Amino acid sequence: MLFNEFEPYNKGHVFHIPLATNIRRNDEVIKNASTQENRKFTSDISFIGSTYQEKCPFNRAILPEYEKGYVDGIINAQLGVYGYNFIEDMLTDDMTERLLNCIPYHYEFPEGYRANNKALLAQEYLSVKVAEQERLRLLKLLSDSFNVDIYTGSDTSSMPHIHNKGFAKSLTEMPVIFHNSKINLNITAKSIRSGLSLRIFDVLGCGGFLITNYQAELPEFFEIGKDLVAYESENHLKELCAYYLNHDDERNEIARHGYETVVNNHTYDIRMLQIIDKSFPAQ
């Protein structure tokens, strides 16, 4: 979606390719993990990342009753839809200004810039708030029924049954967690409106089984049900977790297929060649 917005300003010189992962580094870390590390980083369901309470600038907003109801309506509507971010479409010019004025020290475009306050409010403020509420709701839902480990520095006191393991080291611990978790959970930040987060590539590139939210670009690069599994509602996610925790062979086959897809299509070597091809097209 960002490509579609910016490309018209510099036609033929703006491109988009998805992210990638470092297979060689992942394989090395997993191969060298000790027995103790493998035991420590084994989970039924794991999630690595922030719940966004500490990262949500919209939490500073002081909202009158009407504006609060308007925002709550947007949040609840967006939480019910996967694959399309319509927050910006729900904002009027008047409401945009009213809500921005409720946020102390909100960002202001420098003079002479192409200002888009609707996009600013939707992507930098409200999308983060929606992501916060989505993560809190889904993680509480799952941890009330399953054994869920979270690696985060966020406050998890609202989820009494979740196991907060603290921060995970990106290069030396995350690959082992991805590889040893029966289910890795990805909840894409709502500010990523159509694309795929790095978490998808990294989990699959570690041979991990992934359940992710549905994103519009997901079928362009992965086969749902063969490379990974995608949920489209809260109840759907709970059903998928229950099913795959009890079907080891299916879960392991999907993880294997996802790993092979990443090896063959989504490494940094492949991305660099794609960038070179875009930069120096054959004559």
Side-chain angles (χ1 to χ4, degrees):
M1 290 184 73
L2 282 171
F3 166 81
N4 290 333
E5 290 172 7
F6 284 102
E7 196 271 342
Y9 296 105
N10 194 8
K11 281 188 173 295
H13 300 283
V14 180
F15 307 98
H16 170 258
I17 56 174
L19 296 170
T21 194
N22 190 329
I23 291 292
R24 287 189 293 271
R25 185 182 67 203
N26 294 340
D27 286 349
E28 191 71 15
V29 171
I30 292 165
K31 182 181 72 173
N32 292 325
S34 67
T35 302
Q36 183 180 0
E37 287 173 321
N38 282 316
R39 188 183 303 114
K40 177 181 177 181
F41 296 122
T42 294
S43 300
D44 283 348
I45 301 173
S46 71
F47 177 77
I48 303 177
S50 170
T51 59
Y52 280 122
Q53 295 119 294
E54 74 278 13
K55 295 183 178 181
C56 182
F58 196 73
N59 286 339
R60 301 195 307 263
I62 303 170
L63 301 176
E65 200 62 31
Y66 179 80
E67 283 77 0
K68 183 180 185 303
Y70 194 97
V71 169
D72 287 344
I74 291 176
I75 291 172
N76 288 321
Q78 183 64 78
L79 285 174
V81 175
Y82 288 89
Y84 179 59
N85 184 321
F86 51 74
I87 295 173
E88 190 173 336
D89 299 336
M90 299 180 73
L91 295 170
T92 63
D93 291 336
D94 175 64
M95 182 55 69
T96 297
E97 293 307 311
R98 287 162 66 177
L99 290 174
L100 283 176
N101 287 334
C102 294
I103 306 171
Y105 312 111
H106 70 77
Y107 179 83
E108 295 187 12
F109 290 94
E111 187 176 348
Y113 277 52
R114 288 193 300 269
N116 187 336
N117 281 332
K118 277 188 185 179
L120 169 68
L121 179 62
Q123 296 174 37
E124 298 299 320
Y125 293 101
L126 293 182
S127 284
V128 181
K129 185 63 180 177
V130 173
E132 173 204 76
Q133 291 301 301
E134 180 180 30
R135 292 187 175 194
L136 289 172
R137 294 184 193 187
L138 291 181
L139 290 168
K140 185 177 188 306
L141 174 75
L142 294 182
S143 62
D144 285 346
S145 299
F146 305 106
N147 186 19
V148 180
D149 295 330
I150 184 172
Y151 294 84
T152 188
S154 299
D155 177 14
T156 56
S157 59
S158 64
M159 299 173 279
H161 300 116
I162 206 164
H163 308 123
N164 190 335
K165 304 287 189 174
F167 290 110
K169 296 177 182 177
S170 298
L171 300 183
T172 59
E173 295 179 344
M174 280 174 52
V176 184
I177 296 167
F178 293 152
H179 186 74
N180 288 337
S181 296
K182 291 182 179 179
I183 294 175
N184 292 280
L185 185 62
N186 176 58
I187 308 171
T188 306
K190 280 292 183 284
S191 53
I192 305 175
R193 291 170 292 162
S194 65
L196 307 185
S197 66
L198 183 61
R199 183 57 42 82
I200 293 174
F201 298 91
D202 281 345
V203 170
L204 299 186
C206 293
F209 174 80
L210 178 68
I211 299 182
T212 180
N213 62 290
Y214 181 80
Q215 287 282 102
E217 294 177 42
L218 195 58
E220 296 180 30
F221 304 105
F222 296 103
E223 193 168 352
I224 298 172
K226 285 195 174 181
D227 294 318
L228 44 70
V229 175
Y231 65 90
E232 298 183 6
S233 71
E234 292 183 9
N235 287 333
H236 188 208
L237 172 59
K238 187 176 179 180
E239 291 168 2
L240 289 172
C241 287
Y243 180 84
Y244 283 105
L245 284 174
N246 289 293
H247 290 79
D248 294 350
D249 290 344
E250 290 183 49
R251 189 182 70 240
N252 292 334
E253 175 57 23
I254 291 171
R256 184 200 63 78
H257 198 281
Y259 175 80
E260 293 299 327
T261 296
V262 168
V263 168
N264 293 325
N265 299 285
H266 304 299
T267 67
Y268 284 111
D269 295 344
I270 293 169
R271 289 291 179 267
M272 288 305 300
L273 291 173
Q274 291 171 334
I275 291 171
I276 291 169
D277 286 343
K278 289 289 186 183
S279 302
F280 306 100
Q283 298 298 322

